[in-house]
Amino acid sequence: MSKDEGEKFDIIIKSNSRDLLAFMKLVPNRKKKIEKASSEPIKTDPMNELAKRLHPLRQYLVINEIRNETKSAKTFKLEPHVGLRTNELAYFRPGQYLSLKVKVNGVEITRPYSIASSPKDAQKGFYEITIRKEEHGFLTQYIWDNWKVDTVIESSGPEGFFYFEPLRDLKDIVGIAGGSGITPFRSMAKAIIEGIIDVKLTVLYGSSEEDDIIYYDEFKELEKKYPDKLKFIHILSCEEVSLEGCEAGFITAEIIEKYCDVKNSTFFVCGPQVMYDFVEKELERFKLPPKRIRREAFGEIKNIVNYPGFPKEVAEKTFKVKTHIGNITKEIPAMATESVLVAMERANLAPPSKCRSGECGFCRSLLISGDIFVSPISDWRRAADKKFNYFHPCYSYPVSDLEVKVPRHL
Ligand SMILES: Cc1cc2nc3c(=O)[nH]c(=O)nc-3n(C[C@H](O)[C@H](O)[C@H](O)COP(=O)(O)OP(=O)(O)OC[C@H]3O[C@@H](n4cnc5c(N)ncnc54)[C@H](O)[C@@H]3O)c2cc1C
Ligand code: FES
């Protein structure tokens, strides 16, 4: 092809022979490399080693520092417990969570907590999680009474899908948070200023009163330093609002439009169930494509009786669940208003779980017989699982006696 013809088609082939020569040298070059290589077998597979570091089965952490954030929220700085052979912390994507495994009064349970620090902090040797005490909370009450500096905690590796993905998400991120749902956005904000993710973040953070706002001063500082990258707006549902940067009321469509470029943003929503119910309706008004609204799993359903479709006539009943777990078979009681997972935890069978939201599939079990209620709003089972009676105990409620087979993970 002549140069002119090449320019006409925007393709210029400079040297056919050079390209061909490179191909011809491929085999002899490979042979030379093989001859030079050691004859010793490779003892470790570098890819497997990397996978293990990124996705450890478990990490042992030790509390290094505890800070009070509000009257009901504390930040725990966690470092690797080298004595228990956690030499480094797994790297993560801002927005992911850790599933903590804790023994409370002899009962082994898990709870997920979003990592509130940045991935660079993990490389430096610590994670931070911020926990809000729940009224009558099973684990949080225990944490307030028992956790102190030097307490050792067992954790999963980083889990979850609530993170910015450049191939899918727009570069303007709107975080809609309620209560302790602010934690993944602190991690994202830190990752943005450290140059790990290249986005602009606007956070609309709902709290019930000024004293409940977590990270208020820290966010004010960050916003002042990085006005082009970060913006935090506090929305308070109480009557009186005096703090700078606060709005009174709820996170309505009007508030969202006032502070965000709705058409050019991806929304990340994280908070309690009641906030999801409210915000979902407000976001519906913008008629955004589904991929533009990302939701964090919101954990256990608090009041299953109020969910559409729940058979109210069984609400007061307790059923029997014949549970096969590992080599053990045990018949346990299960209240209709508590998930099958909680029933197994109460019976101290230590069933596997991570997200407790029906999302991760870690608790996936076989329903041998009986009927369960799974809220249609959050039924993330695969079609094949439904067909062959696999279910997620964390999101399923007994409505008859059951027989189930539960995996025992390592
Ligand atoms: C992805 C994700 C991230 C999260 N991140 C954060 C975060 O950053 N910060 C934060 O504060 N929270 C976070 N949460 C919420 C957190 O996981 C807990 O739900 C919260 O701390 C409340 O825990 P709790 O045990 O005190 O209360 P609950 O979870 O409400 O505890 C009550 C539960 O314990 C069960 N129970 C009662 N008695 C027993 C018994 N004897 N044996 C077994 N079970 C029993 C009850 O049935 C009920 O289900 C997150 C949740 C999710 C899903
Ligand atoms: S624990 Fe994640 S699906 Fe049940």
Side-chain angles (χ1 to χ4, degrees), residues 19-52:
D19 292 344
L20 278 173
L21 213 60
F23 272 116
M24 284 163 76
K25 282 184 184 166
L26 210 76
V27 175
N29 279 348
R30 191 187 300 146
K31 265 190 185 160
K32 269 189 219 161
K33 278 193 180 166
I34 292 170
E35 275 159 20
K36 264 204 226 160
S38 159
S39 57
E40 289 289 308
I42 299 172
K43 291 202 178 83
T44 51
D45 175 346
M47 290 315 286
N48 276 343
E49 288 304 305
L50 179 63
K52 269 191 223 160

PDB file of all heavy atoms in Angstrom, residues 19-52:
ATOM      1  N   ASP A  19       7.767  -6.211  11.696  1.00  0.00           N
ATOM      2  CA  ASP A  19       6.738  -6.924  12.465  1.00  0.00           C
ATOM      3  C   ASP A  19       6.895  -8.431  12.318  1.00  0.00           C
ATOM      4  O   ASP A  19       6.825  -9.175  13.295  1.00  0.00           O
ATOM      5  CB  ASP A  19       5.336  -6.520  11.993  1.00  0.00           C
ATOM      6  CG  ASP A  19       5.032  -5.089  12.353  1.00  0.00           C
ATOM      7  OD1 ASP A  19       5.765  -4.553  13.202  1.00  0.00           O
ATOM      8  OD2 ASP A  19       4.092  -4.528  11.784  1.00  0.00           O
ATOM      9  N   LEU A  20       7.129  -8.855  11.065  1.00  0.00           N
ATOM     10  CA  LEU A  20       7.256 -10.304  10.818  1.00  0.00           C
ATOM     11  C   LEU A  20       8.455 -10.885  11.545  1.00  0.00           C
ATOM     12  O   LEU A  20       8.413 -11.971  12.107  1.00  0.00           O
ATOM     13  CB  LEU A  20       7.391 -10.577   9.314  1.00  0.00           C
ATOM     14  CG  LEU A  20       6.060 -10.597   8.555  1.00  0.00           C
ATOM     15  CD1 LEU A  20       6.309 -10.699   7.062  1.00  0.00           C
ATOM     16  CD2 LEU A  20       5.220 -11.778   9.021  1.00  0.00           C
ATOM     17  N   LEU A  21       9.561 -10.081  11.516  1.00  0.00           N
ATOM     18  CA  LEU A  21      10.800 -10.536  12.172  1.00  0.00           C
ATOM     19  C   LEU A  21      10.554 -10.790  13.673  1.00  0.00           C
ATOM     20  O   LEU A  21      11.029 -11.776  14.233  1.00  0.00           O
ATOM     21  CB  LEU A  21      11.873  -9.455  11.996  1.00  0.00           C
ATOM     22  CG  LEU A  21      13.312  -9.943  11.875  1.00  0.00           C
ATOM     23  CD1 LEU A  21      13.456 -10.849  10.663  1.00  0.00           C
ATOM     24  CD2 LEU A  21      14.253  -8.750  11.768  1.00  0.00           C
ATOM     25  N   ALA A  22       9.796  -9.858  14.266  1.00  0.00           N
ATOM     26  CA  ALA A  22       9.505 -10.008  15.704  1.00  0.00           C
ATOM     27  C   ALA A  22       8.779 -11.322  15.948  1.00  0.00           C
ATOM     28  O   ALA A  22       9.057 -12.026  16.925  1.00  0.00           O
ATOM     29  CB  ALA A  22       8.665  -8.840  16.182  1.00  0.00           C
ATOM     30  N   PHE A  23       7.822 -11.662  15.065  1.00  0.00           N
ATOM     31  CA  PHE A  23       7.094 -12.929  15.216  1.00  0.00           C
ATOM     32  C   PHE A  23       8.030 -14.115  15.056  1.00  0.00           C
ATOM     33  O   PHE A  23       7.945 -15.100  15.787  1.00  0.00           O
ATOM     34  CB  PHE A  23       5.970 -13.034  14.171  1.00  0.00           C
ATOM     35  CG  PHE A  23       4.691 -12.426  14.660  1.00  0.00           C
ATOM     36  CD1 PHE A  23       4.146 -11.314  14.033  1.00  0.00           C
ATOM     37  CD2 PHE A  23       4.035 -12.957  15.764  1.00  0.00           C
ATOM     38  CE1 PHE A  23       2.986 -10.743  14.487  1.00  0.00           C
ATOM     39  CE2 PHE A  23       2.862 -12.396  16.231  1.00  0.00           C
ATOM     40  CZ  PHE A  23       2.335 -11.282  15.594  1.00  0.00           C
ATOM     41  N   MET A  24       8.969 -14.017  14.090  1.00  0.00           N
ATOM     42  CA  MET A  24       9.873 -15.150  13.844  1.00  0.00           C
ATOM     43  C   MET A  24      10.805 -15.386  15.022  1.00  0.00           C
ATOM     44  O   MET A  24      11.246 -16.490  15.263  1.00  0.00           O
ATOM     45  CB  MET A  24      10.678 -14.916  12.558  1.00  0.00           C
ATOM     46  CG  MET A  24       9.809 -15.155  11.319  1.00  0.00           C
ATOM     47  SD  MET A  24      10.526 -14.433   9.875  1.00  0.00           S
ATOM     48  CE  MET A  24      11.820 -15.598   9.545  1.00  0.00           C
ATOM     49  N   LYS A  25      11.117 -14.269  15.751  1.00  0.00           N
ATOM     50  CA  LYS A  25      12.029 -14.409  16.897  1.00  0.00           C
ATOM     51  C   LYS A  25      11.317 -14.939  18.154  1.00  0.00           C
ATOM     52  O   LYS A  25      11.960 -15.248  19.147  1.00  0.00           O
ATOM     53  CB  LYS A  25      12.668 -13.054  17.225  1.00  0.00           C
ATOM     54  CG  LYS A  25      13.782 -12.671  16.294  1.00  0.00           C
ATOM     55  CD  LYS A  25      14.388 -11.381  16.786  1.00  0.00           C
ATOM     56  CE  LYS A  25      15.449 -10.890  15.819  1.00  0.00           C
ATOM     57  NZ  LYS A  25      15.794  -9.493  16.097  1.00  0.00           N
ATOM     58  N   LEU A  26       9.997 -14.999  18.077  1.00  0.00           N
ATOM     59  CA  LEU A  26       9.218 -15.353  19.266  1.00  0.00           C
ATOM     60  C   LEU A  26       9.640 -16.705  19.847  1.00  0.00           C
ATOM     61  O   LEU A  26       9.949 -16.839  21.035  1.00  0.00           O
ATOM     62  CB  LEU A  26       7.727 -15.400  18.887  1.00  0.00           C
ATOM     63  CG  LEU A  26       6.752 -15.057  19.976  1.00  0.00           C
ATOM     64  CD1 LEU A  26       6.711 -13.546  20.207  1.00  0.00           C
ATOM     65  CD2 LEU A  26       5.351 -15.531  19.603  1.00  0.00           C
ATOM     66  N   VAL A  27       9.670 -17.727  18.978  1.00  0.00           N
ATOM     67  CA  VAL A  27       9.966 -19.083  19.466  1.00  0.00           C
ATOM     68  C   VAL A  27      11.408 -19.180  19.977  1.00  0.00           C
ATOM     69  O   VAL A  27      11.639 -19.629  21.106  1.00  0.00           O
ATOM     70  CB  VAL A  27       9.653 -20.127  18.388  1.00  0.00           C
ATOM     71  CG1 VAL A  27      10.070 -21.525  18.816  1.00  0.00           C
ATOM     72  CG2 VAL A  27       8.161 -20.098  18.068  1.00  0.00           C
ATOM     73  N   PRO A  28      12.434 -18.732  19.174  1.00  0.00           N
ATOM     74  CA  PRO A  28      13.806 -18.827  19.720  1.00  0.00           C
ATOM     75  C   PRO A  28      13.989 -18.042  21.011  1.00  0.00           C
ATOM     76  O   PRO A  28      14.658 -18.491  21.934  1.00  0.00           O
ATOM     77  CB  PRO A  28      14.689 -18.242  18.604  1.00  0.00           C
ATOM     78  CG  PRO A  28      13.793 -17.807  17.512  1.00  0.00           C
ATOM     79  CD  PRO A  28      12.418 -18.290  17.774  1.00  0.00           C
ATOM     80  N   ASN A  29      13.349 -16.846  21.102  1.00  0.00           N
ATOM     81  CA  ASN A  29      13.483 -16.057  22.347  1.00  0.00           C
ATOM     82  C   ASN A  29      12.900 -16.817  23.536  1.00  0.00           C
ATOM     83  O   ASN A  29      13.456 -16.818  24.624  1.00  0.00           O
ATOM     84  CB  ASN A  29      12.756 -14.714  22.220  1.00  0.00           C
ATOM     85  CG  ASN A  29      13.607 -13.703  21.479  1.00  0.00           C
ATOM     86  OD1 ASN A  29      14.801 -13.948  21.264  1.00  0.00           O
ATOM     87  ND2 ASN A  29      13.010 -12.605  21.063  1.00  0.00           N
ATOM     88  N   ARG A  30      11.753 -17.449  23.317  1.00  0.00           N
ATOM     89  CA  ARG A  30      11.123 -18.208  24.414  1.00  0.00           C
ATOM     90  C   ARG A  30      12.042 -19.359  24.829  1.00  0.00           C
ATOM     91  O   ARG A  30      12.246 -19.615  26.018  1.00  0.00           O
ATOM     92  CB  ARG A  30       9.760 -18.736  23.956  1.00  0.00           C
ATOM     93  CG  ARG A  30       8.958 -19.299  25.131  1.00  0.00           C
ATOM     94  CD  ARG A  30       7.694 -19.978  24.686  1.00  0.00           C
ATOM     95  NE  ARG A  30       6.798 -19.107  23.975  1.00  0.00           N
ATOM     96  CZ  ARG A  30       6.013 -19.505  22.966  1.00  0.00           C
ATOM     97  NH1 ARG A  30       6.041 -20.749  22.559  1.00  0.00           N
ATOM     98  NH2 ARG A  30       5.207 -18.667  22.363  1.00  0.00           N
ATOM     99  N   LYS A  31      12.615 -20.036  23.812  1.00  0.00           N
ATOM    100  CA  LYS A  31      13.520 -21.156  24.126  1.00  0.00           C
ATOM    101  C   LYS A  31      14.675 -20.689  25.001  1.00  0.00           C
ATOM    102  O   LYS A  31      15.037 -21.333  25.982  1.00  0.00           O
ATOM    103  CB  LYS A  31      14.079 -21.732  22.814  1.00  0.00           C
ATOM    104  CG  LYS A  31      13.273 -22.921  22.314  1.00  0.00           C
ATOM    105  CD  LYS A  31      14.011 -23.571  21.178  1.00  0.00           C
ATOM    106  CE  LYS A  31      13.151 -24.669  20.591  1.00  0.00           C
ATOM    107  NZ  LYS A  31      13.575 -25.024  19.253  1.00  0.00           N
ATOM    108  N   LYS A  32      15.266 -19.502  24.620  1.00  0.00           N
ATOM    109  CA  LYS A  32      16.404 -18.980  25.393  1.00  0.00           C
ATOM    110  C   LYS A  32      15.998 -18.756  26.854  1.00  0.00           C
ATOM    111  O   LYS A  32      16.738 -19.069  27.766  1.00  0.00           O
ATOM    112  CB  LYS A  32      16.865 -17.638  24.787  1.00  0.00           C
ATOM    113  CG  LYS A  32      17.937 -17.801  23.729  1.00  0.00           C
ATOM    114  CD  LYS A  32      18.477 -16.439  23.363  1.00  0.00           C
ATOM    115  CE  LYS A  32      18.713 -16.395  21.867  1.00  0.00           C
ATOM    116  NZ  LYS A  32      18.797 -15.057  21.333  1.00  0.00           N
ATOM    117  N   LYS A  33      14.794 -18.187  27.040  1.00  0.00           N
ATOM    118  CA  LYS A  33      14.327 -17.909  28.403  1.00  0.00           C
ATOM    119  C   LYS A  33      14.164 -19.208  29.185  1.00  0.00           C
ATOM    120  O   LYS A  33      14.521 -19.298  30.362  1.00  0.00           O
ATOM    121  CB  LYS A  33      12.985 -17.160  28.377  1.00  0.00           C
ATOM    122  CG  LYS A  33      13.156 -15.690  28.156  1.00  0.00           C
ATOM    123  CD  LYS A  33      11.886 -14.945  28.437  1.00  0.00           C
ATOM    124  CE  LYS A  33      12.119 -13.456  28.201  1.00  0.00           C
ATOM    125  NZ  LYS A  33      10.917 -12.695  28.129  1.00  0.00           N
ATOM    126  N   ILE A  34      13.615 -20.236  28.518  1.00  0.00           N
ATOM    127  CA  ILE A  34      13.394 -21.522  29.199  1.00  0.00           C
ATOM    128  C   ILE A  34      14.739 -22.130  29.592  1.00  0.00           C
ATOM    129  O   ILE A  34      14.919 -22.635  30.704  1.00  0.00           O
ATOM    130  CB  ILE A  34      12.571 -22.482  28.316  1.00  0.00           C
ATOM    131  CG1 ILE A  34      11.139 -21.942  28.179  1.00  0.00           C
ATOM    132  CG2 ILE A  34      12.552 -23.903  28.879  1.00  0.00           C
ATOM    133  CD1 ILE A  34      10.279 -22.645  27.165  1.00  0.00           C
ATOM    134  N   GLU A  35      15.728 -22.027  28.655  1.00  0.00           N
ATOM    135  CA  GLU A  35      17.061 -22.596  28.959  1.00  0.00           C
ATOM    136  C   GLU A  35      17.702 -21.906  30.158  1.00  0.00           C
ATOM    137  O   GLU A  35      18.354 -22.515  30.990  1.00  0.00           O
ATOM    138  CB  GLU A  35      17.970 -22.460  27.729  1.00  0.00           C
ATOM    139  CG  GLU A  35      17.788 -23.623  26.761  1.00  0.00           C
ATOM    140  CD  GLU A  35      18.261 -23.273  25.358  1.00  0.00           C
ATOM    141  OE1 GLU A  35      19.055 -22.319  25.222  1.00  0.00           O
ATOM    142  OE2 GLU A  35      17.803 -23.945  24.412  1.00  0.00           O
ATOM    143  N   LYS A  36      17.491 -20.567  30.238  1.00  0.00           N
ATOM    144  CA  LYS A  36      18.105 -19.797  31.333  1.00  0.00           C
ATOM    145  C   LYS A  36      17.417 -20.055  32.678  1.00  0.00           C
ATOM    146  O   LYS A  36      17.997 -19.844  33.732  1.00  0.00           O
ATOM    147  CB  LYS A  36      17.994 -18.298  31.020  1.00  0.00           C
ATOM    148  CG  LYS A  36      19.230 -17.727  30.365  1.00  0.00           C
ATOM    149  CD  LYS A  36      19.246 -16.245  30.645  1.00  0.00           C
ATOM    150  CE  LYS A  36      19.560 -15.468  29.379  1.00  0.00           C
ATOM    151  NZ  LYS A  36      19.157 -14.089  29.469  1.00  0.00           N
ATOM    152  N   ALA A  37      16.154 -20.486  32.635  1.00  0.00           N
ATOM    153  CA  ALA A  37      15.366 -20.581  33.874  1.00  0.00           C
ATOM    154  C   ALA A  37      15.879 -21.686  34.799  1.00  0.00           C
ATOM    155  O   ALA A  37      16.511 -22.649  34.336  1.00  0.00           O
ATOM    156  CB  ALA A  37      13.907 -20.840  33.536  1.00  0.00           C
ATOM    157  N   SER A  38      15.621 -21.534  36.093  1.00  0.00           N
ATOM    158  CA  SER A  38      16.055 -22.533  37.075  1.00  0.00           C
ATOM    159  C   SER A  38      15.286 -23.845  36.869  1.00  0.00           C
ATOM    160  O   SER A  38      14.114 -23.832  36.487  1.00  0.00           O
ATOM    161  CB  SER A  38      15.776 -21.979  38.470  1.00  0.00           C
ATOM    162  OG  SER A  38      15.716 -23.025  39.393  1.00  0.00           O
ATOM    163  N   SER A  39      15.958 -24.962  37.137  1.00  0.00           N
ATOM    164  CA  SER A  39      15.276 -26.252  36.978  1.00  0.00           C
ATOM    165  C   SER A  39      14.490 -26.631  38.246  1.00  0.00           C
ATOM    166  O   SER A  39      13.780 -27.607  38.283  1.00  0.00           O
ATOM    167  CB  SER A  39      16.287 -27.355  36.651  1.00  0.00           C
ATOM    168  OG  SER A  39      17.231 -27.378  37.691  1.00  0.00           O
ATOM    169  N   GLU A  40      14.652 -25.789  39.308  1.00  0.00           N
ATOM    170  CA  GLU A  40      13.910 -26.039  40.556  1.00  0.00           C
ATOM    171  C   GLU A  40      12.420 -25.782  40.317  1.00  0.00           C
ATOM    172  O   GLU A  40      12.066 -24.770  39.695  1.00  0.00           O
ATOM    173  CB  GLU A  40      14.386 -25.063  41.645  1.00  0.00           C
ATOM    174  CG  GLU A  40      15.770 -25.335  42.165  1.00  0.00           C
ATOM    175  CD  GLU A  40      15.792 -26.598  43.014  1.00  0.00           C
ATOM    176  OE1 GLU A  40      14.969 -26.684  43.924  1.00  0.00           O
ATOM    177  OE2 GLU A  40      16.623 -27.494  42.724  1.00  0.00           O
ATOM    178  N   PRO A  41      11.536 -26.630  40.829  1.00  0.00           N
ATOM    179  CA  PRO A  41      10.103 -26.335  40.667  1.00  0.00           C
ATOM    180  C   PRO A  41       9.689 -25.082  41.464  1.00  0.00           C
ATOM    181  O   PRO A  41      10.267 -24.826  42.526  1.00  0.00           O
ATOM    182  CB  PRO A  41       9.405 -27.584  41.227  1.00  0.00           C
ATOM    183  CG  PRO A  41      10.430 -28.307  42.001  1.00  0.00           C
ATOM    184  CD  PRO A  41      11.787 -27.868  41.549  1.00  0.00           C
ATOM    185  N   ILE A  42       8.745 -24.327  40.942  1.00  0.00           N
ATOM    186  CA  ILE A  42       8.280 -23.126  41.645  1.00  0.00           C
ATOM    187  C   ILE A  42       7.471 -23.581  42.859  1.00  0.00           C
ATOM    188  O   ILE A  42       6.548 -24.380  42.734  1.00  0.00           O
ATOM    189  CB  ILE A  42       7.403 -22.245  40.723  1.00  0.00           C
ATOM    190  CG1 ILE A  42       8.211 -21.778  39.518  1.00  0.00           C
ATOM    191  CG2 ILE A  42       6.836 -21.044  41.475  1.00  0.00           C
ATOM    192  CD1 ILE A  42       7.406 -21.076  38.452  1.00  0.00           C
ATOM    193  N   LYS A  43       7.853 -23.081  44.035  1.00  0.00           N
ATOM    194  CA  LYS A  43       7.217 -23.577  45.262  1.00  0.00           C
ATOM    195  C   LYS A  43       5.896 -22.862  45.549  1.00  0.00           C
ATOM    196  O   LYS A  43       4.956 -23.420  46.071  1.00  0.00           O
ATOM    197  CB  LYS A  43       8.174 -23.418  46.442  1.00  0.00           C
ATOM    198  CG  LYS A  43       9.364 -24.371  46.317  1.00  0.00           C
ATOM    199  CD  LYS A  43      10.007 -24.629  47.659  1.00  0.00           C
ATOM    200  CE  LYS A  43      11.148 -25.612  47.533  1.00  0.00           C
ATOM    201  NZ  LYS A  43      12.411 -24.983  47.114  1.00  0.00           N
ATOM    202  N   THR A  44       5.845 -21.557  45.204  1.00  0.00           N
ATOM    203  CA  THR A  44       4.585 -20.827  45.459  1.00  0.00           C
ATOM    204  C   THR A  44       4.105 -20.209  44.154  1.00  0.00           C
ATOM    205  O   THR A  44       4.900 -19.756  43.344  1.00  0.00           O
ATOM    206  CB  THR A  44       4.790 -19.691  46.485  1.00  0.00           C
ATOM    207  OG1 THR A  44       5.906 -18.917  46.044  1.00  0.00           O
ATOM    208  CG2 THR A  44       5.043 -20.222  47.876  1.00  0.00           C
ATOM    209  N   ASP A  45       2.788 -20.229  43.995  1.00  0.00           N
ATOM    210  CA  ASP A  45       2.198 -19.631  42.807  1.00  0.00           C
ATOM    211  C   ASP A  45       1.924 -18.162  43.120  1.00  0.00           C
ATOM    212  O   ASP A  45       1.110 -17.862  44.001  1.00  0.00           O
ATOM    213  CB  ASP A  45       0.896 -20.393  42.485  1.00  0.00           C
ATOM    214  CG  ASP A  45       0.149 -19.753  41.330  1.00  0.00           C
ATOM    215  OD1 ASP A  45       0.492 -18.611  40.969  1.00  0.00           O
ATOM    216  OD2 ASP A  45      -0.758 -20.405  40.797  1.00  0.00           O
ATOM    217  N   PRO A  46       2.609 -17.214  42.438  1.00  0.00           N
ATOM    218  CA  PRO A  46       2.461 -15.801  42.809  1.00  0.00           C
ATOM    219  C   PRO A  46       1.010 -15.313  42.716  1.00  0.00           C
ATOM    220  O   PRO A  46       0.571 -14.481  43.505  1.00  0.00           O
ATOM    221  CB  PRO A  46       3.366 -15.055  41.825  1.00  0.00           C
ATOM    222  CG  PRO A  46       3.797 -16.044  40.805  1.00  0.00           C
ATOM    223  CD  PRO A  46       3.561 -17.417  41.341  1.00  0.00           C
ATOM    224  N   MET A  47       0.245 -15.843  41.759  1.00  0.00           N
ATOM    225  CA  MET A  47      -1.150 -15.388  41.627  1.00  0.00           C
ATOM    226  C   MET A  47      -1.983 -15.858  42.822  1.00  0.00           C
ATOM    227  O   MET A  47      -2.803 -15.118  43.357  1.00  0.00           O
ATOM    228  CB  MET A  47      -1.787 -15.901  40.324  1.00  0.00           C
ATOM    229  CG  MET A  47      -1.242 -15.264  39.088  1.00  0.00           C
ATOM    230  SD  MET A  47      -1.076 -13.463  39.227  1.00  0.00           S
ATOM    231  CE  MET A  47      -2.763 -12.951  39.104  1.00  0.00           C
ATOM    232  N   ASN A  48      -1.750 -17.121  43.224  1.00  0.00           N
ATOM    233  CA  ASN A  48      -2.479 -17.619  44.404  1.00  0.00           C
ATOM    234  C   ASN A  48      -2.097 -16.839  45.652  1.00  0.00           C
ATOM    235  O   ASN A  48      -2.941 -16.560  46.502  1.00  0.00           O
ATOM    236  CB  ASN A  48      -2.170 -19.103  44.638  1.00  0.00           C
ATOM    237  CG  ASN A  48      -3.060 -19.981  43.790  1.00  0.00           C
ATOM    238  OD1 ASN A  48      -4.076 -19.511  43.298  1.00  0.00           O
ATOM    239  ND2 ASN A  48      -2.676 -21.231  43.613  1.00  0.00           N
ATOM    240  N   GLU A  49      -0.800 -16.511  45.747  1.00  0.00           N
ATOM    241  CA  GLU A  49      -0.336 -15.740  46.914  1.00  0.00           C
ATOM    242  C   GLU A  49      -1.025 -14.382  46.962  1.00  0.00           C
ATOM    243  O   GLU A  49      -1.494 -13.950  48.010  1.00  0.00           O
ATOM    244  CB  GLU A  49       1.194 -15.532  46.844  1.00  0.00           C
ATOM    245  CG  GLU A  49       1.999 -16.783  47.117  1.00  0.00           C
ATOM    246  CD  GLU A  49       1.659 -17.402  48.469  1.00  0.00           C
ATOM    247  OE1 GLU A  49       1.748 -16.705  49.482  1.00  0.00           O
ATOM    248  OE2 GLU A  49       1.285 -18.601  48.482  1.00  0.00           O
ATOM    249  N   LEU A  50      -1.122 -13.725  45.793  1.00  0.00           N
ATOM    250  CA  LEU A  50      -1.762 -12.411  45.733  1.00  0.00           C
ATOM    251  C   LEU A  50      -3.246 -12.543  46.102  1.00  0.00           C
ATOM    252  O   LEU A  50      -3.782 -11.743  46.878  1.00  0.00           O
ATOM    253  CB  LEU A  50      -1.621 -11.818  44.325  1.00  0.00           C
ATOM    254  CG  LEU A  50      -2.267 -10.453  44.118  1.00  0.00           C
ATOM    255  CD1 LEU A  50      -1.611  -9.393  45.003  1.00  0.00           C
ATOM    256  CD2 LEU A  50      -2.187 -10.020  42.660  1.00  0.00           C
ATOM    257  N   ALA A  51      -3.898 -13.590  45.562  1.00  0.00           N
ATOM    258  CA  ALA A  51      -5.330 -13.791  45.864  1.00  0.00           C
ATOM    259  C   ALA A  51      -5.533 -13.983  47.363  1.00  0.00           C
ATOM    260  O   ALA A  51      -6.481 -13.451  47.945  1.00  0.00           O
ATOM    261  CB  ALA A  51      -5.860 -14.994  45.086  1.00  0.00           C
ATOM    262  N   LYS A  52      -4.619 -14.733  47.996  1.00  0.00           N
ATOM    263  CA  LYS A  52      -4.751 -14.973  49.446  1.00  0.00           C
ATOM    264  C   LYS A  52      -4.597 -13.673  50.228  1.00  0.00           C
ATOM    265  O   LYS A  52      -5.268 -13.458  51.234  1.00  0.00           O
ATOM    266  CB  LYS A  52      -3.664 -15.948  49.911  1.00  0.00           C
ATOM    267  CG  LYS A  52      -4.111 -17.410  49.856  1.00  0.00           C
ATOM    268  CD  LYS A  52      -3.091 -18.257  50.580  1.00  0.00           C
ATOM    269  CE  LYS A  52      -2.821 -19.520  49.787  1.00  0.00           C
ATOM    270  NZ  LYS A  52      -1.566 -20.171  50.127  1.00  0.00           N
TER     271      LYS A  52
END
